[in-house]
Each structure stands twice: as structure tokens, then as C-alpha cells.
């Protein structure tokens, strides 16, 4: 139950560390945060409660959750000077680039309180990041569409506060269906941690040099940006839109993927660990139809995605390679229905993944076995040779 992957001579599944935070069984499609199955947490918990669980290791009592929620609530504001930060970017700047630079820049407001070995300072940095990342994400979006920034309204819950800062206007009251808030909260839970994925490994590696938590998370945002990782949720929607624009011929698209046409992959499919259906994708798929029904919307891209999944799951090429939908396959349809622009989808992934990055960084920094990340290599370049003057080359 607590065993880890065995060393693989191909160095593809080598265990890089031990961790007590998240357990994945890729063959069985199991995901647990601190031992709790993801399906139960998605169904019964809340994002801030899961953040507490990941960081502190136990589900909070009601009093502990109230105090944690209240601490987060009191740190949602950004320094007034920081509001100008968003004005330096071009309107079409990708919000992931804004997010990673904002997180790193944010640390300058606290640079005298970033000692990675001072538990109180690390805890305050954790609260500040969880509280302020939604504000930063909302401000990046507002600036890109030329709308005024809204201050956080701390009478609202965590997710509703984020939605209001993103879609609200100072000229009118903002309302959102509580079920939509609940579903976005649940999506954040599904993204909250995933053991040693690319971005989390990046956060741990950067932190292993004793870089502060903000700098480490900023690096994690950049790693998540990649289309093979968190950027896949944006790439999936762009893929579905392209298939739709070309007439919706799913079978033809799958044929071209199997022919390995350059740059063509079934985005949202496959996984470095899961060789079975990603348990998160199953939860997202169920929520997708529900969101469209609540919002009274239909989206041909959802039908396209479901047909694509059906064709791929019955095709030997994908079956032999154990390629199944991953967490990114359906999320884009939901985010689009909620009103988020495609380039904001990976920002939503980052908002969800933040507590996991924080928990993993804190586990690493407190692990005496952790040495500075310094991978070795197998040198395959030329043997020793001597300098030749340019006139003789
Ligand atoms: C996330 O690690 C995590 O936990 C990540 C994540 C998290 O929560 O942090 O779960 C989030 O990043 C999910 C993954 C999102 N990325 C995508 O959806 C992009 C599309 N997926 C592929 O890029 C790919 O599946 C990876 C990168 C996710 C995983 O690749 P693997 O396991 O290294 O597989 P591989 O590259 O070794 O490929 C094995 C075979 C190859 O074919 P052959 O050379 O054997 O003929 O499968 C093929 C690949 O060409 N293949 C695909 C494919 N993924 C792998 N073919 C078509 N479409 C795909 N998506």
C-alpha cells in the first residue's frame, strides 16, 4: 500500500523521492490525497478543506477550517502598487506568463519574511499565495479585456470571490449559480495535487536550492504552461475547435493521429503514470453535461469530445498504448461554458494545483534527506580533442 515504484533500468519510472502526500496507482486508476480517495473528496469536501489536508496532513476540525478560511480571507488584497504590475503587459499577453511573473514579483513585498526554515514565515507565505493567486488571475484577465479591476469581496466564499473578480463589473451586481461555484470548487479539488508531475517536480527542484516558496511556485507555473502538461486543457479545446471547423470528422482526425502526422496528438489523452482511465477525467466528464444544463447551453464540442473518446477507446492503436482520457480532456468544455477564454484554462489548473505545490515544497524543505537537485548525466559527446586555430579549420 505504501510501496513506491521500483527502479526501472530505462530510468523512466525511477522514484525520485519519497512522499506522504499523494498516492497514484496508474494501472488501477487510483488517486488519493493523504489516503482519501479523490472521488470522496470531490463529492464531499471543499477546495480550502483539501488545501488544508494536503498542507497539514489531516482533515481539519470545523474550528481549524474556520481559522484557515479566515486567514486566507484576510490576505486576498494585493498591495495597491502591485495593481500597476498588470498594466505593463500587452493586452494579448498569455495569462500564464503574467501569473508566473506576478508570483515571483509578489515575493518582493515580503522579501524580509521568506526564510524557508522559519515555519511561521512559510505558513504565512502559503496563506498569502492561496489568498492572492485568484486575485492575480482575475486581474490578469480584467486587464486583458480592458475592464476595471474589482477588489476582493471577503463576504463571499473563495471560489465565488474569484468568479466575481473575474466576471463582475463595478456597474452592476454580480450573481452566479451556487451550483456553478460548487462545480468549479470541485474542479480545483481534482487538480490540487498529483504526486511528482512535471510542475510539482519543478517546484521541489527549485526549492531544493532554498529558493523561497514564491520563486519555486513561479517556476511551477512556467512548467505547467507547457502544452504536454497543464497547457493541454487549452490544447484540447483548440483541437476540438479545429476538428469542428474541418467538418467534425472524428474518424479522419484519429486516422491522422495514428499516422503520426507532425504535431498531431490526441490532446487530453495519455498520461505518464495512468495506464487506465484517469479517475479525475471520469468526474469531470459527469460534471460537463451538468454545467451545460445549468447554464442552458449546448456545445457541439462536447458531443465531439465524447465521440472522439468513444472512437479512441475502441481503437487498437490507443488500447495497445494504454491511452485514456486524462484530467484535461473535458475540463476545457466546462471552462468555456463558464465564460473563461481558452487561454485562461491553464490558469485555472494552476489555481487548483497551488496547494499541492505548497504541500510538496514544504515536505521537501523539511526532509533532511533532500539535497540540492543536481541530476547527473551519461556523457555521449566527443572525447578529448585540442584547439585548432581558425586559419586551419
Ligand atoms: C497532465 O504527470 C502528471 O500527473 C500530469 C497531470 C497532473 O495532474 O499534473 O496529470 C496533468 O499533464 C496530464 C497530461 C496532459 N497532456 C496531454 O494531454 C498531451 C497529450 N498527451 C501526450 O503528450 C502524452 O500522452 C503524455 C506526454 C501525457 C504522456 O506521454 P508518455 O506516457 O511519455 O507516452 P509516450 O510519449 O512514451 O508515448 C507512448 C506512445 C507513443 O507512440 P509510439 O512511439 O509507441 O508509436 O503513445 C503515443 C506516442 O506517440 N502517444 C500518443 C499520445 N500520447 C502518447 N499518441 C497520440 N495522442 C496522444 N495523446
Amino acid at each position: 500500500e505504501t510501496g513506491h515504484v521500483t527502479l526501472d533500468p530505462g530510468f523512466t519510472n525511477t522514484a525520485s523521492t519519497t512522499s506522504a502526500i499523494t498516492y497514484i496507482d496508474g494501472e488501477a486508476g487510483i488517486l488519493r490525497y493523504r489516503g482519501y480517495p479523490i472521488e470522496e473528496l470531490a463529492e464531499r469536501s471543499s477546495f480550502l478543506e483539501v488545501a488544508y489536508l494536503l498542507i497539514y496532513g489531516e482533515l481539519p476540525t470545523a474550528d481549524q477550517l474556520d481559522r484557515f478560511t479566515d486567514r486566507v480571507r484576510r490576505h486576498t488584497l494585493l498591495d495597491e502598487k502591485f495593481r500597476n504590475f498588470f498594466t505593463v503587459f500587452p493586452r494579448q499577453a498569455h495569462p500564464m506568463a503574467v501569473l508566473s511573473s506576478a508570483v515571483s514579483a509578489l515575493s518582493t513585498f515580503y522579501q524580509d519574511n521568506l526564510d524557508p526554515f522559519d515555519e511561521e514565515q512559510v505558513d504565512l507565505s502559503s496563506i498569502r499565495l492561496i489568498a492572492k493567486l485568484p486575485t492575480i488571475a482575475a486581474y490578469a484577465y480584467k486587464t486583458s479585456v480592458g475592464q476595471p479591476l474589482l477588489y476582493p469581496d471577503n463576504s463571499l466564499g473563495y471560489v465565488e470571490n474569484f468568479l466575481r473578480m473575474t466576471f463582475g463589473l463595478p456597474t452592476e451586481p454580480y450573481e452566479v449559480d451556487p451550483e456553478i461555484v460548487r462545480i468549479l470548487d470541485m474542479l480545483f479539488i481534482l487538480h490540487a495535487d498529483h504526486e511528482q508531475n512535471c510542475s510539482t517536480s519543478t517546484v521541489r527542484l527549485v526549492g531544493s536550492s532554498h529558493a523561497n516558496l514564491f520563486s519555486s511556485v513561479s517556476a511551477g507555473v512556467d512548467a505547467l504552461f507547457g502544452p504536454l502538461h497543464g497547457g493541454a486543457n487549452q490544447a484540447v479545446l483548440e483541437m476540438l475547435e479545429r476538428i469542428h471547423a474541418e467538418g467534425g470528422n472524428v474518424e479522419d482526425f484519429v486516422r491522422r493521429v495514428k499516422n503520426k502526422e507532425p504535431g498531431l496528438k490526441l490532446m487530453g489523452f495519455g498520461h505518464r503514470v495512468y495506464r487506465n482511465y484517469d479517475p479525475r477525467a471520469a468526474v469531470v466528464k459527469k460534471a460537463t453535461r451538468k454545467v451545460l444544463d445549468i447554464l442552458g447551453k449546448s456545445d457541439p464540442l462536447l458531443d465531439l469530445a465524447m465521440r472522439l473518446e468513444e472512437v479512441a477507446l475502441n481503437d487498437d492503436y490507443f488500447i495497445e498504448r494504454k491511452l485514456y482520457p486524462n484530467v484535461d480532456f473535458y475540463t476545457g468544455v466546462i471552462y468555456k461554458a463558464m465564460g473563461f477564454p481558452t487561454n485562461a484554462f491553464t490558469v485555472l489548473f494552476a489555481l487548483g494545483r497551488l496547494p499541492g505545490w505548497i504541500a510538496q515544497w514544504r515536505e521537501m524543505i523539511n526532509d533532511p534527506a533532500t539535497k540540492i537537485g543536481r541530476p547527473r548525466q551519461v556523457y555521449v559527446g566527443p572525447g578529448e580533442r585540442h584547439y585548432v586555430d581558425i586559419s586551419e579549420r
Side-chain angles (χ1 to χ4, degrees):
E1 271 295 287
T2 56
H4 221 65
V5 289
T6 51
L7 294 194
D8 177 328
F11 297 105
T12 53
N13 283 319
T14 308
S16 57
T17 182
T18 59
S19 175
I21 298 171
T22 291
Y23 173 73
I24 298 175
D25 178 332
E27 292 301 330
I30 292 172
L31 169 59
R32 299 182 197 138
Y33 295 161
R34 302 283 189 181
Y36 295 95
I38 191 65
E39 295 84 356
E40 290 181 24
L41 293 171
E43 179 71 27
R44 303 175 59 187
S45 187
S46 69
F47 179 60
L48 284 185
E49 182 176 76
V50 166
Y52 185 100
L53 170 66
L54 287 169
I55 293 171
Y56 301 109
E58 297 296 335
L59 284 172
T61 61
D63 180 47
Q64 287 169 329
L65 182 59
D66 286 348
R67 272 189 282 119
F68 182 72
T69 303
D70 189 50
R71 285 186 74 198
V72 169
R73 188 176 285 136
R74 279 187 280 116
H75 286 277
T76 51
L77 271 176
L78 293 171
D79 185 294
E80 277 300 287
K81 279 174 70 66
F82 203 70
R83 288 164 66 91
N84 304 322
F85 178 86
F86 300 90
T87 60
V88 301
F89 297 92
R91 274 272 169 87
Q92 72 281 13
H94 196 291
M96 283 296 277
V98 178
L99 200 77
S100 76
S101 39
V103 168
S104 193
L106 189 61
S107 70
T108 60
F109 287 85
Y110 315 113
Q111 60 194 22
D112 301 332
N113 290 286
L114 296 176
D115 178 349
F117 297 99
D118 179 316
E119 187 49 34
E120 258 187 49
Q121 290 183 21
V122 168
D123 212 40
L124 180 53
S125 293
S126 308
I127 294 290
R128 281 173 165 153
L129 275 163
I130 292 171
K132 297 179 197 299
L133 205 62
T135 309
I136 289 171
Y139 285 9
Y141 171 67
K142 279 300 194 201
T143 310
S144 75
V145 293
Q147 289 181 359
L149 308 183
L150 284 185
Y151 286 110
D153 172 355
N154 292 336
S155 67
L156 303 175
Y158 185 80
V159 171
E160 190 176 1
N161 207 356
F162 164 62
L163 286 169
R164 179 185 160 277
M165 286 188 282
T166 303
F167 297 120
L169 290 166
T171 47
E172 52 205 65
Y174 173 75
E175 286 195 3
V176 59
D177 187 308
E179 194 49 29
I180 294 295
V181 176
R182 168 79 194 102
I183 288 171
L184 187 54
D185 186 282
M186 182 270 291
L187 290 171
F188 285 169
I189 291 173
L190 294 178
H191 287 83
D193 193 50
H194 213 238
E195 62 136 279
Q196 305 312 312
N197 59 84
C198 177
S199 55
T200 300
S201 301
T202 301
V203 169
R204 289 179 78 117
L205 188 67
V206 171
S208 73
S209 74
H210 297 174
N212 68 67
L213 182 57
F214 291 84
S215 302
S216 305
V217 166
S218 172
V221 173
D222 283 326
L224 190 72
F225 196 177
L228 292 193
H229 189 17
N233 56 16
Q234 174 176 341
V236 169
L237 206 84
E238 288 163 353
M239 171 188 74
L240 294 173
E241 284 171 340
R242 177 178 162 188
I243 298 170
H244 184 62
E246 293 169 357
N249 189 328
V250 165
E251 290 75 9
D252 181 57
F253 180 78
V254 168
R255 179 185 56 75
R256 292 165 55 204
V257 169
K258 288 161 63 177
N259 289 341
K260 296 185 186 289
E261 274 188 27
L264 220 51
K265 276 180 180 270
L266 187 43
M267 300 309 278
F269 256 70
H271 198 273
R272 294 294 289 137
V273 178
Y274 288 125
R275 297 308 181 210
N276 198 323
Y277 211 101
D278 183 333
R280 302 166 297 175
V283 178
V284 177
K285 183 178 177 182
K286 266 194 291 189
T288 309
R289 180 66 72 196
K290 194 170 176 184
V291 167
L292 293 177
D293 292 347
I294 293 168
L295 296 172
K297 294 184 177 177
S298 66
D299 188 343
L301 299 187
L302 174 58
D303 302 329
L304 207 57
M306 294 173 97
R307 275 179 41 226
L308 204 46
E309 175 187 348
E310 189 191 347
V311 169
L313 292 187
N314 292 291
D315 186 300
D316 288 344
Y317 178 92
F318 295 89
I319 295 169
E320 285 157 14
R321 291 166 177 79
K322 298 190 176 183
L323 300 176
Y324 293 87
N326 58 53
V327 69
D328 294 307
F329 190 63
Y330 285 102
T331 42
V333 177
I334 291 186
Y335 296 149
K336 177 183 168 219
M338 287 180 175
F340 292 100
T342 309
N343 71 2
F345 294 177
T346 311
V347 170
L348 297 172
F349 194 140
L351 290 176
R353 184 53 50 88
L354 179 62
W357 286 335
I358 292 171
Q360 297 268 355
W361 185 93
R362 290 174 71 158
E363 180 181 69
M364 174 278 305
I365 207 79
N366 293 315
D367 176 357
T370 300
K371 299 277 182 291
I372 180 172
R374 206 298 183 199
R376 287 311 310 276
Q377 63 172 30
V378 175
Y379 178 72
V380 293
E384 184 181 11
R385 50 185 174 166
H386 298 287
Y387 188 82
V388 175
D389 191 83
I390 195 165
S391 61
E392 295 166 31
R393 288 178 213 155

